[in-house]
Amino acid sequence: MDTLLNISNLSKSFPGVKANDDISLHVNKGEIVALLGENGAGKSTLVKAVFGLVRPDSGTITIKGESIAYGDTAAAISHGVGMVHQHFQLVPVMTVTENIILGDEPHKGMFLSMKAARQEVIELSKRHGLEVDPDSVVEDLPVGIQQRIEILKALRKDIDLLILDEPTAVLTPQEIDELLEVMRNLAASGVGVLFITHKLREVMAVADRVVVLRNGKLVGATTPSETDEEGLAQMMVGRNVVLQVDKGPAKAGEVVLSVENMTVKDSRGHEAVTNFSLELHAGEILGIAGVEGNGQRELVEAICGMRHRTTGTVKVAGVVAPDMDPRQVHLMGVSHIPEDREKDGLVASYSIADNLILNQFNLKPYATKGIRDFKVRDAYAEKLVEEFDIRTPSFENLASSLSGGNKQKVVVARELTQDLKVVVAAQPTRGVDVGSIEFIHNQLVSARDTGAGVLLVSAELDEILSLSDRIAVMFGGKIVAILPGEGADRQYIGRLMAGLTE
Amino acid sequence: MQRVFGSINIKSWKFLLTAAVLIVWIYCYVANGDVTNSVVASGMRFGMPLALASMVGIMCERSGIVNIGIEGTMLLSGFTGFYVASYTKNIIIGLIIAILTGMLTSFVHALMTIQWQMDQIIAGTIINILASGLTSFLYKEGSTVPNTWPIFDIPILSRIPFIGHAFFSQQGPIQYFGLILIPAIWVLIYKTRWGLRTRSVGENPGSADTAGISVIKVRMINVVLGGAIGGLVGGFICLELVGSFSKEFTAGAGFTALALMIFGRWNPMGAFAAAILFGLAQALSTQLQIFGVNNIPNQFITLLPYVFTILVLVFSAGKVRPPAAEGKVYKKEEA
Ligand SMILES: Nc1ncnc2c1ncn2[C@@H]1O[C@H](COP(=O)(O)OP(=O)(O)O)[C@@H](O)[C@H]1O
Ligand SMILES: [Mg+2]
């Protein structure tokens, strides 16, 4: 066997955490290795070290027998490593072509040859069956396409080793299938693939070997044929995990949220939600299924007062909610778990404790007459950190120090620990590990059981299917069908999501 | 502002503005060709040093480093350039020293901001205060330079009707040099590999880094190159326009240049156009003083260019979008 990548006894600590603890791992030619682990397990740190982006404390990394030094990303690239980063590494204001060629630009002397570059991008995209428009500006493109650009960037050189750090977190089921196919083709042509993911189904479908990290340590290696999804989940979290959500029947009450004939425009001024009406009852979870970019984001923002409604009204328990006043809407009993937790959910440079009371820091008992009471805040933060299992050395730490799953738990803890009538949860488990997904799902179900109406918006069809009491399928800014959650047909909903009717 | 003008798209705005300027120009030219030519020419004379100074800002900020120390950079360069020229009796050596001073000053800025990761505004302020203090302290009266740069006509171009007289005659070498350098910087930023990398570093250093580009190197080089231009302008102002060194001769030009850079959307040609407009406003206000508009106090007339700058900034502010990573420290392990 030809070993492409060999990591031996690698350790790396950040202040307060041992992100990688004596990890040894190898990837052979033509092999797909899945690297599995909860959020914060140290997967990204490990692959960043391979790419020269993180300085290991000890241990060695060799690619095709040659060692890679810290800081030498260019060397990693020239040794045939391509990497798709968990956080997109694209320049938003530049075109697709400019982004793809960056770092090794076709040129004549010191000048760029954009014509050659454009042609190269077109051919590259054709070769891998990943369609992109070379002239679009990246920030105008939906995330799914941005991910495609990242992958094309990695595939541009003749690579021997492809590292994918959670590439499927933002993709639709069809896009995921496409990507898995790309991976299989690459492996068949001799490329080694190191594939980081949380999604057990993908691991089972594509991996030759599975390596599991937990708390920075390598806790096991297996193959899909030796285990199943439950087994993988258990290795990952170190305890039994129930993948199926356990919930009783819904006891739907009166209408708590009604949207009437609402029209909303997106940031570019196009109509994203058209003449939209919807009723959400107390004690039910209404799932909105749909491929991303069909108006879900605008719908959620308009309901929560973060985006202007061109027409229509939103009523919370019969009272008209104001347009463009998120605070007021919140005070009416609407909780919002936003799609983009980094941007809309947290203040990264504030402490975890402050983030937990972000929407009530000025209210009693957290403040009296404009003076904050830190004792009350600390007691409350301590309780929530415990209750919601937020993994951190201290609630005084900055929110930015948390891993993705734990950030999401902070948002969920803040939003669900209040008097509420309506919960609007947008992509609540995006990029979150299995253990936390189970936890967040249970929290949503218990919010439902205490009488709140839950509007669940997710691009993850499995999530919609396992949680929803009713399912609304959204396409092109409208609801195209509403079905009971019980016994809903995956295939049928998939077709509706794609805009097909019968 | 943005709301009010939201429905008019930027292109038609620019078009209207250009058309208006042209119409006014032609009208003035027809009405009084000599005066018009001399106003436009002195607009060039005033505007070009500012345009070049804003190139310093563009070079730095396109790579993500805010440099409010342009003022101090020019002051120091003018100082060393002038005294070296006065001592050696050679203005070419003076100019070279000025350029080197600019590079050195900017290198210190780069060191503070990139290597030591200091706050970029504070680093720039340090440079300004240091420059102002040092030059006033070391200032000696009575020094002179052997000669100043000559003013001359460009042989053929100056005879082009209409624009020849305004742009290609009776200017000093810095004006002509600027006419070459500014488009060259535009080409550098938009048409070369270096420019693409510089822009990527200024927009998203993480993505540049993962593409194997050294963020630190790109920033260092851009800041130091910018410093060379700053040194050139400082040296030229003392050796050409004025022919002497006076305390605080820059008089805020470094900050005006930053405003012009913003007005020009970090685009060299945009900043150039803005600087020339500003220069024109200044030339016009001088002209008005010469003509002696009696019922308006002089102070108000000298205010004209500044009022103009403020108005222009207010009207264009809404749509301004600086390089995304500007002013932020790049730490590798956070990528
Ligand atoms: N630059 C950093 N500074 C401090 N801590 C970090 C940094 N990067 C990662 N960590 C910490 O290291 C641990 C592993 O993170 P990471 O490798 O991103 O996990 P994963 O990719 O498995 O979710 C986490 O606890 C995270 O908070
Ligand atoms: Mg990660």
Side-chain angles (χ1 to χ4, degrees):
Chain A
M1 272 272 182
D2 296 316
T3 306
L4 280 175
L5 169 70
N6 197 14
I7 301 174
S8 51
N9 309 102
L10 188 117
S11 294
K12 169 73 191 177
S13 295
F14 291 112
V17 262
K18 193 135 199 191
N20 287 164
D21 189 357
D22 198 28
I23 292 179
S24 299
L25 173 86
H26 70 277
V27 180
N28 295 327
K29 227 167 140 4
E31 172 182 58
I32 301 177
V33 178
L35 183 58
L36 200 61
E38 285 195 277
N39 260 305
K43 307 173 302 284
S44 294
T45 305
L46 185 68
V47 294
K48 277 191 210 162
V50 173
F51 212 57
L53 291 168
V54 154
R55 187 199 304 273
D57 298 333
S58 63
T60 54
I61 298 165
T62 59
I63 293 165
K64 291 187 279 185
E66 290 184 50
S67 61
I68 293 290
Y70 164 72
D72 207 349
T73 304
I77 294 172
S78 71
H79 280 80
V81 182
M83 179 152 162
V84 173
H85 297 265
Q86 177 170 12
H87 302 287
F88 290 167
Q89 297 297 350
L90 299 171
V91 184
V93 296
M94 289 188 180
T95 65
V96 172
T97 302
E98 287 174 323
N99 267 287
I100 291 179
I101 62 168
L102 189 64
D104 183 17
E105 308 82 359
H107 60 99
K108 286 197 194 89
M110 66 185 292
F111 295 99
L112 293 167
S113 349
M114 286 315 283
K115 238 193 222 144
R118 199 171 168 278
Q119 197 52 38
E120 190 189 329
V121 169
I122 292 171
E123 274 160 25
L124 180 71
S125 124
K126 236 187 233 143
R127 185 162 67 234
H128 294 285
L130 296 167
E131 202 180 304
V132 290
D133 169 14
D135 305 317
S136 298
V137 173
V138 164
E139 66 186 344
D140 296 337
L141 298 172
V143 276
I145 307 280
Q146 294 193 10
Q147 180 64 283
R148 229 179 258 180
I149 302 167
E150 283 286 11
I151 293 165
L152 286 174
K153 243 168 78 175
L155 293 178
R156 174 162 173 245
K157 313 281 167 53
D158 283 327
I159 52 167
D160 300 310
L161 175 68
L162 177 64
I163 300 171
L164 299 153
D165 193 351
E166 295 191 31
T168 59
V170 294
L171 301 185
T172 62
Q174 286 88 338
E175 287 170 329
I176 292 173
D177 289 342
E178 273 173 29
L179 179 61
L180 297 185
E181 200 47 45
V182 170
M183 285 164 61
R184 284 195 200 97
N185 289 339
L186 285 169
S189 69
V191 174
V193 180
L194 184 58
F195 171 45
I196 298 179
T197 184
H198 286 125
K199 299 188 189 169
L200 306 167
R201 182 208 295 265
E202 294 163 9
V203 175
M204 298 302 288
V206 81
D208 297 312
R209 282 194 291 130
V210 189
V211 177
V212 184
L213 290 189
R214 189 196 318 148
N215 290 332
K217 294 195 187 64
L218 203 150
V219 293
T222 180
T223 62
S225 52
E226 288 168 22
T227 185
D228 58 8
E229 291 187 25
E230 304 275 337
L232 287 175
Q234 189 171 350
M235 276 173 96
M236 214 161 109
V237 246
R239 61 180 166 84
N240 257 325
V241 180
V242 187
L243 291 177
Q244 209 53 45
V245 182
D246 186 20
K247 65 177 175 71
K251 293 192 244 1
E254 78 278 27
V255 173
V256 283
L257 175 77
S258 71
V259 179
E260 290 155 24
N261 307 325
M262 183 171 78
T263 298
V264 185
K265 286 185 176 156
D266 68 16
S267 306
R268 279 181 285 163
H270 303 306
E271 214 164 85
V273 176
T274 308
N275 202 16
F276 187 99
S277 300
L278 175 95
E279 285 191 339
L280 174 70
H281 297 264
E284 73 161 349
I285 297 181
L286 172 56
I288 304 234
V291 176
E292 258 193 290
N294 277 285
Q296 296 97 319
R297 172 182 304 180
E298 289 76 14
L299 171 69
V300 167
E301 289 179 352
I303 291 175
C304 295
M306 291 168 61
R307 184 178 285 276
H308 172 62
R309 306 192 278 267
T310 320
T311 63
T313 50
V314 172
K315 286 185 191 152
V316 177
V319 183
V320 175
D323 189 27
M324 293 286 283
D325 188 351
R327 174 152 211 108
Q328 191 53 39
V329 174
H330 174 78
L331 291 174
M332 292 173 78
V334 179
S335 274
H336 179 200
I337 300 171
E339 169 179 343
D340 187 344
R341 58 179 163 259
E342 311 275 343
K343 186 164 147 274
D344 299 325
L346 294 166
V347 182
S349 57
Y350 283 8
S351 68
I352 294 165
D354 279 340
N355 271 292
L356 284 168
I357 58 164
L358 211 52
N359 49 16
Q360 46 185 346
F361 71 94
N362 57 340
L363 306 177
K364 276 192 173 168
Y366 305 102
T368 349
K369 299 200 176 73
I371 309 285
R372 299 183 57 187
D373 185 336
F374 287 97
K375 275 207 200 92
V376 178
R377 179 199 72 167
D378 291 354
Y380 182 71
E382 195 164 349
K383 181 173 142 251
L384 289 193
V385 165
E386 167 84 36
E387 213 170 281
F388 283 78
D389 189 26
I390 299 164
R391 310 255 171 98
T392 172
S394 157
F395 56 73
E396 294 285 357
N397 284 12
L398 299 186
S400 58
S401 71
L402 294 173
S403 68
N406 282 302
K407 281 181 185 156
Q408 188 69 337
K409 285 188 206 163
V410 171
V411 176
V412 170
R414 180 184 68 221
E415 296 297 327
L416 296 188
T417 321
Q418 285 165 43
D419 268 352
L420 36 94
K421 300 194 179 79
V422 176
V423 178
V424 180
Q427 322 289 355
T429 59
R430 162 166 296 168
V432 166
D433 56 283
V434 177
S436 309
I437 290 176
E438 179 195 19
F439 185 82
I440 292 170
H441 282 176
N442 286 334
Q443 290 297 322
L444 290 174
V445 171
S446 77
R448 177 199 78 164
D449 291 342
T450 54
V454 178
L455 187 68
L456 170 71
V457 178
S458 177
E460 209 69 66
L461 193 46
D462 288 328
E463 176 164 75
I464 297 278
L465 290 171
S466 66
L467 281 176
S468 309
D469 302 311
R470 284 193 299 149
I471 298 173
V473 184
M474 204 166 163
F475 178 78
K478 289 194 177 100
I479 287 180
V480 290
I482 296 191
L483 324 158
E486 194 85 25
D489 177 10
R490 203 168 198 280
Q491 294 297 322
Y492 177 60
I493 295 179
R495 279 206 303 279
L496 290 172
M497 282 167 62
L500 306 172
T501 37
E502 308 319 318
Chain B
M1 280 303 146
Q2 206 182 1
R3 290 251 162 93
V4 180
F5 297 106
S7 55
I8 306 173
N9 78 38
I10 300 172
K11 274 188 192 127
S12 70
W13 242 107
K14 278 187 182 163
F15 175 77
L16 286 178
L17 191 70
T18 317
V21 168
L22 276 179
I23 288 168
V24 172
W25 188 10
I26 292 170
Y27 179 78
C28 295
Y29 191 80
V30 171
N32 189 336
D34 285 346
V35 171
T36 305
N37 272 339
S38 88
V39 167
V40 174
S42 61
M44 258 276 280
R45 204 144 41 236
F46 288 131
M48 189 55 90
L50 287 171
L52 285 170
S54 69
M55 296 304 125
V56 185
I58 290 177
M59 295 288 288
C60 294
E61 297 205 0
R62 278 295 185 167
S63 73
I65 300 292
V66 173
N67 187 355
I68 63 160
I70 301 178
E71 179 88 0
T73 307
M74 294 196 299
L75 201 55
L76 272 176
S77 317
F79 181 82
T80 55
F82 177 78
Y83 282 102
V84 167
S86 152
Y87 183 76
T88 59
K89 307 267 179 269
N90 186 330
I91 54 175
I92 300 218
I93 294 181
L95 189 66
I96 291 171
I97 291 296
I99 293 175
L100 289 177
T101 309
M103 291 172 82
L104 189 70
T105 315
S106 286
F107 179 70
V108 172
H109 185 69
L111 211 59
M112 288 194 283
T113 53
I114 303 169
Q115 216 66 40
W116 304 334
Q117 313 194 331
M118 266 172 67
D119 184 279
Q120 301 177 6
I121 301 291
I122 293 177
T125 307
I126 290 176
I127 286 183
N128 286 336
I129 293 175
L130 200 74
S132 152
L134 264 183
T135 53
S136 326
F137 180 67
L138 296 173
Y139 172 77
K140 260 198 342 256
E141 255 173 274
S143 300
T144 52
V145 279
N147 56 322
T148 54
W149 297 92
I151 280 174
F152 60 95
D153 289 0
I154 302 261
I156 296 160
L157 297 180
S158 60
R159 270 185 261 135
I160 300 175
F162 196 49
I163 58 167
H165 235 73
F167 286 108
F168 300 112
S169 93
Q170 294 301 301
Q171 304 283 358
I174 191 180
Q175 276 77 18
Y176 298 129
F177 182 65
L179 287 180
I180 300 168
L181 185 67
I182 291 169
I185 291 178
W186 184 87
V187 169
L188 180 75
I189 289 178
Y190 291 105
K191 298 289 169 196
T192 68
R193 300 167 90 192
W194 179 258
L196 184 73
R197 291 174 178 203
T198 299
R199 282 183 287 138
S200 75
V201 165
E203 290 288 343
N204 184 355
S207 74
D209 200 353
T210 54
I213 296 167
S214 164
V215 175
I216 291 182
K217 200 171 104 189
V218 168
R219 289 188 167 174
M220 279 281 183
I221 292 178
N222 273 296
V223 171
V224 171
L225 280 182
I229 303 174
L232 180 80
V233 184
F236 254 124
I237 293 179
C238 285
L239 297 170
E240 175 198 334
L241 278 183
V242 189
S244 72
F245 179 85
S246 52
K247 284 187 199 177
E248 309 286 350
F249 75 88
T250 42
F255 294 100
T256 310
L258 285 175
L260 296 170
M261 166 191 78
I262 295 170
F263 178 43
R265 305 289 143 86
W266 288 265
N267 178 328
M269 297 312 278
F272 174 60
I276 295 303
L277 270 181
F278 182 78
L280 276 176
Q282 200 151 24
L284 213 60
S285 84
T286 315
Q287 199 60 235
L288 288 177
Q289 284 169 49
I290 292 170
F291 282 167
V293 183
N294 289 331
N295 43 6
I296 309 173
N298 253 346
Q299 286 85 340
F300 283 104
I301 296 175
T302 32
L303 263 181
L304 204 71
Y306 299 94
V307 171
F308 162 79
T309 311
I310 291 171
L311 281 181
V312 146
L313 279 177
V314 165
F315 272 86
S316 63
K319 290 160 260 150
V320 172
R321 183 170 174 189
E326 133 183 326
K328 293 187 195 131
V329 168
Y330 180 60
K331 288 207 195 85
K332 214 175 162 76
E333 285 189 349
E334 276 180 3

